[in-house]
Amino acid sequence: MNLELPSAKRYFRIGEVSRITGVKPHVLRYWETEFGIVSPDKTRSNHRIYDREDLALIMEIKRLLYDERYTIIGAKKRIREIKREKKQLDIPFSEQGDIMATIKAELEEIREILV
C-alpha cells in the first residue's frame, strides 16, 4: 500500500486523488456516502481536501472491492475490523500495509527454517 506521493504535500484535491488512486471522482464521492469513513475536509469554497490517511483508506477500499472481490457490505465490515485492529495496535492506517508485509516476510523466513 505504498503510494508514490509528493513528500511535501499533505492535502490533495479530488482530481489528484483520482489520478493517484485510479478511482474516478464520482466513485470517490459515492464511497464517501457509502462507507462513511472516508470524510475529506472541505475548503471555504466547498472543495474536498483529502489527506494521506484518506488516500490509504481509499486504496484499501479499492483493493477490497476490485482485487479481493468483496461486496460493498463485506468491504464495510472488513474496514471496520481493520479500524478496530488499528485502534488496538495504535498504528496509523497508512502504515499497516508495511507492517503486515514485514510480518509476512518474517513468518515465511521462520517457515523456511522449520522445513
Side-chain angles (χ1 to χ4, degrees):
M1 194 182 324
N2 292 332
L3 298 175
E4 296 295 326
L5 303 175
S7 60
K9 196 156 188 170
R10 293 177 54 193
Y11 298 101
F12 305 87
R13 291 182 178 245
I14 194 166
E16 294 171 304
V17 173
S18 177
R19 282 190 297 281
I20 292 167
T21 62
V23 177
K24 295 188 184 242
H26 71 275
V27 175
L28 293 171
R29 288 188 293 272
Y30 172 72
W31 286 357
E32 285 176 35
T33 60
E34 193 62 37
F35 285 89
I37 50 179
V38 178
S39 55
D41 293 329
K42 296 212 177 165
T43 64
R44 283 182 269 172
S45 58
N46 213 28
H47 291 264
R48 287 169 170 79
I49 299 293
Y50 297 82
D51 62 19
R52 291 172 181 269
E53 188 79 8
D54 291 328
L55 265 63
L57 189 53
I58 289 166
M59 289 304 295
E60 181 63 14
I61 292 169
K62 179 183 176 185
R63 185 187 71 76
L64 290 172
L65 294 175
Y66 298 166
D67 298 340
E68 301 293 323
R69 310 299 288 168
Y70 276 69
T71 63
I72 293 284
I73 293 170
K76 284 182 192 180
K77 182 178 177 185
R78 182 65 188 128
I79 292 291
R80 280 194 302 270
E81 290 170 0
I82 290 169
K83 287 285 197 181
R84 249 191 317 276
E85 293 166 5
K86 173 191 164 264
K87 281 186 181 178
Q88 290 173 348
L89 298 174
D90 197 30
I91 300 169
F93 188 84
S94 56
E95 295 177 17
Q96 288 183 21
D98 296 336
I99 291 170
M100 295 304 289
T102 302
I103 291 170
K104 181 179 177 184
E106 289 174 0
L107 288 172
E108 288 174 353
E109 287 177 20
I110 292 169
R111 188 174 102 211
E112 289 299 316
I113 292 170
L114 295 174
V115 172

